[in-house]
Amino acid sequence: MDYFLYYGCSLEGGGVHYMISTEAVAKALGINFHEIEDWNCCGASIAYIGGNEMQSIVLNARNLALAEAQGGYDIVAPCSSCYIMLNKVNRELQAHPKLMAQVNEILAEGGLKYSGQIRVRHILDLLYHDVGVEKIKAAVKKPLTGVKVAAYYGCQTTRPFGEYDSCENPHTQDDILAALGAEVVEFGHRVKCCGSGIFLTEIDKCAYLVKDIIESAAAGGAQIISTACPMCQMNLEIYQQRVNAITGANLNMPVVFVTQLMALAFGGDKDGAAALNRLVVPSGPALQAVGA
Amino acid sequence: MDYNQTFAKEVYEKVDSGDEIKVCMQCGVCGATCPLRGEMKYGPRQIWSLIRAGRRDEVLNNPDIMLCTSCYTCQVRCPRGVPIMEVMHGLAHYALAQGIVPRAETAKFGKAFWEGIYDTGRVDEAVVPIKYCLQDGLVAGLKKSLGMMDIGLALMKAKRMKPKMFIPPNIFIPGVHKIKGVKQLQRMLDKAAAIDAAKEA
Ligand code: SF4
Ligand code: SF4
């Protein structure tokens, strides 16, 4: 199984534990990831402040054109924001030949051309639909028995297209976690927004979003939250002290990537393949049942 | 309410996705589902109303147009298929292009983010926060970055950040990674900017 892994900017920094665990999971499942040579930033959900609509389109069209020229594999994005930006532009270009022609005139500045052949996928889509729950189950060496986890989706993981999972009631991450042997809890805030790209600059307002999500997961019985987006993981995890100070809450909830839990269940080292040592809020008692 | 179509026409023609609000039926689903509606004076529906009423200053100066988290909740639920989030972003971009700053901090961060993309092709987490902080000048920038020190230290301890990230005097960071095709990318972005500038003029 060959794919492009679109790293995006956060996988090299704040989301490095996503990259480490994703690569370990890919190895265990026989997924072959290629890098798009000389990829550029997707612009994320905040590009509109400095750039206009056409510039946003061009940023993503360049990556699509590079992928097409370098082998044409599906692009898999582990970051929900990268996934949406690439996917949105791809769909627009595929649907509007006039726009495609206009964009190709611009891409020609770099000797590039895009014809619309690439598919953009979220990593949950790849894991659930291409790999499949059965194969994931078969790769489990250390089941996550007794781990009480909340599967948090947030916003752009499934919205707005709902291509591979439901916008309102998604299940792919729940099913993957259940395949690992974990106990997946029910909670109300699984598709509520965490504040995304404006969290830090509007923290007085967004702190309440994070508070409500984590308290909802805790009320459902979760000891740990699983995410599939570096922005979610960051916003829910590293600012908890600050959120407590602003809202008067008392949050202390570990937040990991779904791939970290997969790497652990596949028998990977807790601080190696599962990169649990990269957490700001330690996993603590949440993973004690499985010795991590 | 007094109806004056001049501003509505301006929005339809010049704001990215602005013409999409024409089909809005004022049901209010957008505001009702928005996670930050409680923090806004007007939700999307009311902003569209103000546009139709010609209240240009009130709309473009309204901090609500920049409080959209891009969560798409409203957009997937809108019964008329209005790409609400795109309109909110379009309005914010348009206001900023007119020199209006609906929300200062988010505007500064977004500017630093965009400059990072333009200058290097990627967003270096070691550079953007520095640029963001320094827009207030060196002293204020130092203070702001010290305020973020706890987060920075926690990330460094977890080996999730390069140590230089929150050290503001380190403006000239050597070896910032640029993509190979950065010059071509800049030419593409300039060309794209010219197309939209013609529309906004
Ligand atoms: S949900 Fe759609 S139709 Fe309803 S008020 Fe909002 S934009 Fe208009
Ligand atoms: S996309 Fe923006 S306006 Fe719509 S619900 Fe989310 S935050 Fe509110």
Side-chain angles (χ1 to χ4, degrees):
Chain A
M1 290 199 280
D2 286 88
Y3 300 90
F4 282 120
L5 183 67
Y6 179 77
Y7 284 81
C9 298
S10 59
L11 259 65
E12 296 179 329
V16 65
H17 43 328
Y18 204 4
M19 181 166 74
I20 295 169
S21 54
T22 295
E23 284 175 349
V25 165
K27 210 168 155 202
L29 296 172
I31 299 165
N32 212 351
F33 280 137
H34 305 263
E35 183 166 356
I36 303 170
E37 163 82 22
D38 212 40
W39 58 270
N40 58 263
C41 171
C42 72
S45 49
I46 198 162
Y48 73 90
I49 292 175
N52 57 34
E53 206 165 44
M54 187 52 97
Q55 287 178 311
S56 245
I57 292 173
V58 165
L59 278 179
N60 290 285
R62 181 177 177 274
N63 288 326
L64 293 164
L66 286 173
E68 203 173 64
Q70 293 171 24
Y73 311 120
D74 290 4
I75 298 178
V76 174
C79 169
S80 301
S81 201
C82 299
Y83 161 67
I84 285 304
M85 293 304 286
L86 283 162
N87 201 9
K88 184 166 76 176
V89 169
N90 197 32
R91 291 165 64 114
E92 267 171 42
L93 291 173
Q94 288 170 341
H96 301 105
K98 250 177 84 184
L99 178 67
M100 179 79 97
Q102 199 178 17
V103 166
N104 269 322
E105 258 175 53
I106 298 175
L107 290 176
E109 292 288 332
L112 292 169
K113 187 181 175 340
Y114 183 53
S115 71
Q117 298 304 310
I118 296 289
R119 250 182 104 189
V120 180
R121 324 272 306 271
H122 190 274
I123 195 161
L124 284 178
D125 182 10
L126 160 69
L127 291 170
Y128 187 85
H129 291 289
D130 290 15
V131 177
V133 167
E134 285 315 312
K135 198 166 164 196
I136 291 172
K137 230 183 236 170
V140 172
K141 296 203 178 86
K142 260 173 49 187
L144 302 186
T145 318
V147 173
K148 293 191 176 67
V149 60
Y152 173 68
Y153 294 83
C155 55
Q156 301 185 350
T157 305
T158 59
R159 286 194 295 270
F161 304 121
E163 278 180 331
Y164 67 92
D165 202 346
S166 154
C167 288
E168 301 284 357
N169 192 17
H171 64 90
T172 46
Q173 190 181 194
D174 290 67
D175 294 358
I176 291 168
L177 291 167
L180 305 178
E183 185 185 322
V184 189
V185 308
E186 302 237 353
F187 78 117
H189 280 59
R190 46 214 293 279
V191 295
K192 291 265 157 77
C193 172
C194 71
S196 183
I198 66 167
F199 180 87
L200 190 56
T201 48
E202 308 296 343
I203 190 165
D204 289 343
K205 300 171 178 63
C206 295
Y208 292 91
L209 303 178
V210 165
K211 170 185 181 281
D212 290 350
I213 292 163
I214 296 182
E215 285 182 346
S216 162
Q223 292 186 319
I224 191 164
I225 296 177
S226 170
T227 68
C229 168
M231 194 101 81
C232 298
Q233 199 278 333
M234 186 110 145
N235 286 349
L236 288 185
E237 189 205 19
I238 71 172
Y239 305 110
Q240 283 184 29
Q241 300 285 355
R242 207 167 277 202
V243 171
N244 288 342
I246 293 169
T247 66
N250 190 19
L251 311 174
N252 185 33
M253 173 71 83
V255 184
V256 293
F257 292 109
V258 61
T259 46
Q260 289 183 279
L261 295 177
M262 292 178 82
L264 196 64
F266 293 170
D269 184 74
K270 68 181 168 73
D271 294 336
L276 293 175
N277 57 344
R278 308 292 180 121
L279 296 178
V280 167
V281 179
S283 56
L287 297 177
Q288 252 162 27
V290 288
Chain B
M1 229 184 243
D2 206 13
Y3 282 80
N4 168 356
Q5 283 292 300
T6 327
F7 181 48
K9 283 214 183 80
E10 182 182 345
V11 169
Y12 300 159
E13 282 163 20
K14 297 185 177 179
V15 172
D16 287 335
S17 301
D19 59 338
E20 306 265 6
I21 65 170
K22 284 179 185 166
V23 299
C24 166
M25 63 183 191
Q26 290 286 304
C27 69
V29 164
C30 45
T33 60
C34 177
L36 288 178
R37 178 63 184 92
E39 306 285 348
M40 295 176 181
K41 184 167 175 208
Y42 307 114
R45 178 190 68 80
Q46 277 178 288
I47 295 171
W48 309 171
S49 249
L50 290 169
I51 291 171
R52 288 170 175 171
R55 307 259 281 270
R56 189 177 193 278
D57 287 350
E58 214 168 330
V59 170
L60 295 181
N61 285 286
N62 180 0
D64 299 351
I65 61 176
M66 241 178 130
L67 198 61
C68 170
T69 68
S70 323
C71 76
Y72 288 103
T73 313
C74 55
Q75 201 155 316
V76 299
R77 291 180 183 167
C78 169
R80 301 288 291 158
V82 178
I84 300 157
M85 191 209 81
E86 315 288 355
V87 183
M88 294 288 271
H89 287 185
L91 285 170
H93 178 83
Y94 189 67
L96 290 162
Q98 316 285 313
I100 301 165
V101 184
R103 303 195 87 88
E105 292 309 304
T106 297
K108 278 182 222 160
F109 185 77
K111 184 167 172 275
F113 196 91
W114 180 259
E115 283 172 0
I117 297 175
Y118 189 88
D119 292 346
T120 68
R122 290 191 195 165
V123 167
D124 190 326
E125 290 180 332
V127 177
V128 170
I130 298 173
K131 280 191 165 215
Y132 164 55
C133 289
L134 283 176
Q135 287 176 57
D136 301 329
L138 193 60
V139 176
L142 258 168
K143 226 175 121 194
K144 195 188 254 179
S145 61
L146 282 174
M148 298 201 277
M149 210 46 137
D150 54 334
I151 304 286
L153 287 174
L155 280 176
M156 253 187 263
K157 212 175 129 219
K159 287 188 276 172
R160 273 158 66 181
M161 194 175 61
K162 301 159 204 157
K164 61 191 175 189
M165 182 163 170
F166 282 95
I167 308 169
N170 188 2
I171 312 167
F172 304 104
I173 300 156
V176 169
H177 179 80
K178 280 191 188 172
I179 64 165
K180 276 187 270 165
V182 71
K183 283 274 169 287
Q184 288 101 316
L185 176 66
Q186 285 171 354
R187 280 210 300 275
M188 293 176 198
L189 292 175
D190 292 346
K191 208 164 167 180
I195 292 174
D196 272 25
K199 185 178 90 178
E200 279 166 22

